[in-house]
Amino acid sequence: MIPNMEPFTRSVDLLSGAIAADAVVEDRRVADLHGYYLDDSGAEPDRIIYRLYAVPVPEANSELQCSTTVIEPGRIGREYHMTKGHFHAHRDRSEVYLGLAGDGLLILATEDGRHRVEPIRKGSLSYVPGGWAHRSVNIGDEPLAFFAVYVGDAGHDYATVAEHGFPVRVIQGDDGVPLVMEHPGHRR
Ligand code: PAN
Ligand code: ZN
């Protein structure tokens, strides 16, 4: 084949997760996550929950999307800061997460009601197979940063998670320790 893209190199700050130069940077604030948390009434709408750095790559199944996510430490009510979470729009597309910094949990769930909880920390490599929705949660006191690489045309289905939620939520227990709780409102 004759390639239609040129090779390139970008710089990832392994401590902060930031990607330099032409990365597309997007912030997700409390107001953007309204409805995802049990109760966000006490949280300032402008507070940044997480930041995404994405290297621009065509959305084709021959390509690999590369991005980092940085989730600030903190809670909304008793719930730890977390991403929206999604299925891939093309359900069978997989993804790899490499933990860079901080202390987190990766919550995974299938449409038939199974779930898994995996750690995210410096050096953790998590494989997210097709068909598993995924959400990351910062349970530590420092920013949680991870690198993700996934099939170029995976796409993001947020609507299914927005409607049904995940089977579990991560909250701070009475003793200050993170607790993975069944989510009573979750429907299959
Ligand atoms: C990640 C996520 C990122 C933010 O790059 O998109 O961590 O989470 P939400 O997209 O759920 O807000 C990924 O899994 N991409 O497919
Ligand atoms: Zn994904």
Side-chain angles (χ1 to χ4, degrees):
M1 75 177 264
I2 309 295
N4 58 9
M5 269 181 76
E6 297 297 315
F8 61 83
T9 300
R10 292 292 177 272
S11 206
V12 179
D13 183 330
L14 295 179
L15 293 178
S16 71
I19 301 181
D22 60 348
V24 178
V25 182
E26 276 183 45
D27 288 332
R28 301 262 198 275
R29 297 167 190 270
V30 168
D32 300 318
L33 279 106
H34 184 62
Y36 286 88
Y37 290 86
L38 285 169
D39 179 10
D40 65 3
S41 56
E44 326 79 76
D46 278 350
R47 194 208 302 176
I48 293 178
I49 306 290
Y50 57 103
R51 176 166 285 178
L52 274 161
Y53 299 85
V55 176
V57 167
E59 292 185 6
N61 70 357
S62 53
E63 307 300 341
L64 296 169
Q65 303 292 339
C66 303
S67 68
T68 53
T69 302
V70 183
I71 309 179
E72 294 301 321
R75 290 182 307 279
I76 295 186
R78 294 174 71 192
E79 277 180 288
Y80 291 92
H81 281 182
M82 63 182 182
T83 59
K84 289 181 175 180
H86 56 270
F87 285 95
H88 289 153
H90 286 109
R91 284 290 190 274
D92 64 350
R93 304 304 199 251
S94 55
E95 180 157 6
V96 166
Y97 278 14
L98 177 66
L100 302 177
D103 187 11
L105 296 176
L106 173 61
I107 313 292
L108 302 115
T110 59
E111 284 176 293
D112 63 1
R114 286 176 290 150
H115 78 272
R116 289 282 300 268
V117 181
E118 301 287 334
I120 308 178
R121 61 174 84 96
K122 183 177 176 179
S124 64
L125 188 150
S126 307
Y127 192 83
V128 180
W132 288 83
H134 39 290
R135 160 180 286 165
S136 8
V137 187
N138 185 350
I139 57 169
D141 299 327
E142 304 291 330
L144 173 70
F146 59 90
F147 172 77
V149 58
Y150 56 100
V151 183
D153 68 346
H156 296 93
D157 166 14
Y158 292 104
T160 305
V161 165
E163 187 182 351
H164 298 291
F166 274 71
V168 291
R169 288 180 178 275
V170 188
I171 64 162
Q172 188 177 49
D174 293 334
D175 51 3
V177 171
L179 207 63
V180 178
M181 260 187 54
E182 298 282 322
H183 173 212
H186 178 257
R187 286 169 290 134
R188 289 184 183 178

